[in-house]
Amino acid sequence: MDRRRFLGMAATGVASAAGMSALSGCGSGPGSGDVTLKLVAADYGTPGADNSSKIYWQKLADTFTRKNPEISVDVTVYSWNDIGKKLGDMVDSGDPPDIAQVDSYASWAAEGKLYKVNELLPIPDQAEFLVSLAEAGEVQRVQYGLPFVTSTRVLMYNKDLFAKAGLDPDKPPESWEALKSAARRLKQAGVQIPYGLPLGPEEAQGEALMWCLGNGGSYVDSVGNYTINSPENIETMEWLRDNLVVPGYTEPAPQRVDRQKLFEAFSAGKVGVLNGHPTLVQQADKKGLSYGTGKLPGRDGPADGTLGVGDWMMAFKKRDHREACGKFLSFVYEEKNHYAFAARYGLLPVTTSASERMRKDKKHKKLWPFLDQLAAAEFYPVGKVSWTGTNAALKKSVGKAAMKGGDPKAVLTALQRRAEAAEKAES
């Protein structure tokens, strides 16, 4: 897998005509007749709010069935905290859903449990996916994962707190030293959390990777070998520890701080600067916060790239509903349906037509900086079967590298050895 995948807004063909032979006929066979598809999806709604993804999926399923009365869709939605285990248990017990929407797919693809994308969608539908996201859905150069929505990260900062600290509210810090200087000024001005560093188990792997990218590091090299304990990554975590954590510019124990906690604190006006996700834009706007955005700071200037994260849809073979799965997935990715979901939750679309629509929609102007970042975004190596376990280990442990008294070399080397062992076991 390429270390950095450059996304083009004009899609290219990702399947051959020969690969579509399985879709050439209808009538008898899997998918024909009365079918009930089981769909399991993740909830993007805010806990306690009336914006559960169940509402979107149920409405979409009902509309689809009215147009395709021979196919009904049974919708189940789980929180992100639960869906991984719930879906894993279903698959392990031999009763997977027909279609699932979650954050990984590679292990099931490697076990032969998923349909290939070219067994599900016609070529025009496949060609709609942004190129690098389609490639990121591949295992050994065969696409199994359908990108669902994506996001990138930008630096976000509180303009009022910047002004209070005597900083230019229209000039975000562009280098690590500039960020350190801003954090020091913010602390002196009494800001509760000058820099929000979420290295707790919710998404520590993402925050750490964003910082490593700013120093020329990554989790894998250009041919997909793990580089978790590279000199660049060790240096990055040492800098974080010594220049932000130890001086007290972050919360005292960032290895225990989750992203959502800091997002809520930022929206409440308690955080000066952090790396932001598109959903934070919605949260901050609801609170009437005055904020600015910028590129992620790098060691010597703005980082060349940023983190890109995608979630995935997949279709399981077990219930033999290939044709019905394909029809429903084609409906899911119709421009109006796909755009409706992305726009509802402030996320980025994964198809060319929906992305172009968002670019023209001034209601989503605040998401344009995130769209701009797609061209230089680096995605997790989700096509590696070993990534699931490696990702879990990073979430649990990588934050310890930057804590007070932490040993970045020891922490990252332990993670590297675990990743290499998992890779070897899968080969």
Side-chain angles (χ1 to χ4, degrees):
M1 175 176 291
D2 291 341
R3 174 173 174 257
R4 178 156 290 139
R5 299 182 180 277
F6 293 93
L7 277 74
M9 296 304 284
T12 62
V14 292
S16 66
M20 293 301 299
S21 59
L23 296 179
S24 60
C26 297
S28 62
S32 63
D34 292 335
V35 171
T36 297
L37 294 178
K38 292 186 177 181
L39 167 69
V40 171
D43 196 347
Y44 289 76
T46 304
D50 189 25
N51 64 345
S52 170
S53 299
K54 178 69 179 284
I55 298 170
Y56 168 86
W57 282 114
Q58 193 61 61
K59 182 179 178 181
L60 192 72
D62 293 343
T63 303
F64 174 77
T65 298
R66 284 196 296 270
K67 295 183 177 182
N68 302 272
E70 76 282 7
I71 306 172
S72 59
V73 183
D74 179 14
V75 176
T76 301
V77 171
Y78 294 111
S79 75
W80 276 110
N81 292 333
D82 299 330
I83 191 168
K85 185 178 188 309
K86 295 282 189 182
L87 182 57
D89 289 346
M90 292 178 198
V91 177
D92 292 344
S93 67
D95 187 30
D98 294 287
I99 297 172
Q101 179 267 306
V102 71
D103 59 357
S104 62
Y105 63 87
S107 60
W108 296 317
E111 292 168 359
K113 294 177 178 176
L114 302 181
Y115 287 113
K116 300 173 185 176
V117 171
N118 66 12
E119 294 175 317
L120 297 165
L121 300 181
I123 289 175
D125 288 1
Q126 294 178 63
E128 264 284 287
F129 291 115
L130 299 176
V131 179
S132 290
L133 282 170
E135 291 176 354
E138 295 177 353
V139 174
Q140 296 182 348
R141 300 189 179 278
V142 177
Q143 188 182 357
Y144 295 91
L146 294 130
F148 181 57
V149 286
T150 188
S151 64
T152 60
R153 304 293 188 266
V154 300
L155 188 79
M156 296 181 66
Y157 64 99
N158 185 313
K159 288 190 171 186
D160 291 337
L161 294 182
F162 263 49
K164 178 181 177 181
L167 298 164
D168 187 341
D170 295 316
K171 186 178 180 181
E174 295 185 337
S175 68
W176 289 359
E177 284 303 318
L179 178 60
K180 176 184 175 181
S181 177
R184 180 173 60 249
R185 296 275 292 274
L186 288 162
K187 184 174 183 179
Q188 290 169 348
V191 174
Q192 184 174 332
I193 306 171
Y195 181 79
L197 184 64
L199 289 174
E202 181 187 352
E203 205 190 37
Q205 85 288 2
E207 182 72 15
L209 180 55
M210 282 183 272
W211 278 92
C212 291
L213 290 172
N215 196 31
S218 184
Y219 290 150
V220 294
D221 63 19
S222 60
V223 293
N225 296 317
Y226 283 110
T227 57
I228 296 170
N229 67 337
S230 69
E232 294 84 0
N233 292 351
I234 293 170
E235 182 182 62
T236 296
M237 302 309 284
E238 289 174 343
W239 192 93
L240 273 174
R241 178 196 63 195
D242 297 340
N243 292 274
L244 291 183
V245 179
V246 171
Y249 301 149
T250 68
E251 290 200 277
Q255 74 277 9
R256 293 198 289 266
V257 179
D258 285 341
R259 182 187 64 179
Q260 186 55 40
K261 177 183 176 181
L262 284 176
F263 279 12
E264 292 168 0
F266 181 81
S267 299
K270 299 176 181 178
V271 179
V273 196
L274 46 58
N275 291 327
H277 178 281
T279 57
L280 181 54
V281 170
Q282 292 185 323
Q283 290 180 232
D285 285 344
K286 287 180 181 177
K287 295 290 187 177
L289 196 74
S290 176
Y291 62 88
T293 64
K295 290 186 176 182
L296 302 187
R299 177 105 199 179
D300 300 312
D304 292 334
T306 187
L307 172 65
V309 177
D311 295 323
W312 304 91
M313 296 200 77
M314 64 214 72
F316 288 87
K317 295 178 178 179
K318 178 72 175 182
R319 289 159 50 83
D320 206 19
H321 291 157
R322 176 189 58 79
E323 200 170 293
C325 287
K327 283 185 179 181
F328 181 68
L329 287 167
S330 287
F331 186 70
V332 168
Y333 287 102
E334 286 183 10
E335 180 189 327
K336 64 179 180 179
N337 297 329
H338 180 50
Y339 187 76
F341 189 93
R344 178 183 178 91
Y345 294 106
L347 295 166
L348 308 183
V350 300
T351 63
T352 300
S353 59
S355 294
E356 290 175 348
R357 180 173 172 178
M358 181 168 281
R359 169 60 66 189
K360 297 174 183 177
D361 190 343
K362 291 186 178 180
K363 289 187 300 183
H364 295 290
K365 188 174 182 179
K366 289 186 177 181
L367 293 179
W368 292 355
F370 296 92
L371 276 173
D372 291 342
Q373 297 270 20
L374 275 174
E378 177 163 332
F379 291 82
Y380 299 128
V382 291
K384 294 169 73 68
V385 176
S386 59
W387 173 246
T388 299
T390 300
N391 185 38
L394 283 162
K395 286 182 177 182
K396 182 179 179 180
S397 301
V398 74
K400 297 175 183 177
M403 70 182 188
K404 292 179 181 178
D407 186 339
K409 184 175 182 179
V411 171
L412 297 186
T413 297
L415 287 164
Q416 174 76 15
R417 288 173 178 168
R418 189 198 184 285
E420 289 176 343
E423 185 85 344
K424 185 177 180 180
E426 297 293 342
S427 62

